[in-house]
Amino acid sequence: MVRPYAVTGGRTAPRMKFAMEALVSSVTSEYQDISLLSPEYQAIIQLTRNVRSVAEISALLRQPLGVVRVLIADMASEGLIRVHQPALDAGKPDLNLLERVLSGLRRL
């Protein structure tokens, strides 16, 4: 097991800001060789072949959200994945999104 700070090179802040509900998708094809990438990058690419939120990736990898944010920001700057930010109107949260989150929490 590798310590989270070792995975990010000691960095705690991502290069770009994005919300934990931001959606992430891989831009690599399943036929591309990703074996030269780090195990964390490979896992994120595999997970994001289907669009997933940053929070979901964090949970599935069992890594802290901050670590996953740093990794995703690095991968986005390298062109390996695409981050789709939620559109917020003047800083107001999307009511539909909040209702979906509440519904999901109730099902837990």
Side-chain angles (χ1 to χ4, degrees):
M1 183 173 164
V2 178
R3 298 271 184 202
Y5 63 83
V7 172
T8 63
R11 292 175 296 128
T12 58
R15 296 177 185 183
M16 59 187 271
K17 300 273 186 194
F18 48 85
M20 69 179 182
E21 68 270 11
L23 298 176
V24 182
S25 62
S26 175
V27 295
T28 60
S29 79
E30 62 183 277
Y31 304 108
Q32 245 177 310
D33 182 25
I34 60 171
S35 64
L36 298 177
L37 299 174
S38 73
E40 294 81 17
Y41 276 25
Q42 290 178 31
I44 291 171
I45 287 172
Q46 291 297 331
L47 288 173
T48 57
R49 296 220 190 272
N50 296 319
V51 178
R52 298 185 188 269
S53 71
V54 174
E56 187 177 5
I57 295 167
S58 175
L60 291 169
L61 291 177
R62 294 188 175 127
Q63 290 286 333
L65 184 60
V67 170
V68 172
R69 278 185 168 156
V70 170
L71 293 173
I72 288 173
D74 290 350
M75 292 176 73
S77 69
E78 293 175 29
L80 297 171
I81 58 172
R82 187 170 293 126
V83 179
H84 310 275
Q85 294 277 27
L88 298 177
D89 296 332
K92 297 177 186 174
D94 180 19
L95 185 58
N96 188 27
L97 172 65
L98 293 175
E99 288 172 350
R100 290 193 333 254
V101 169
L102 182 59
S103 173
L105 290 172
R106 285 185 179 144
R107 283 183 277 171
L108 293 176

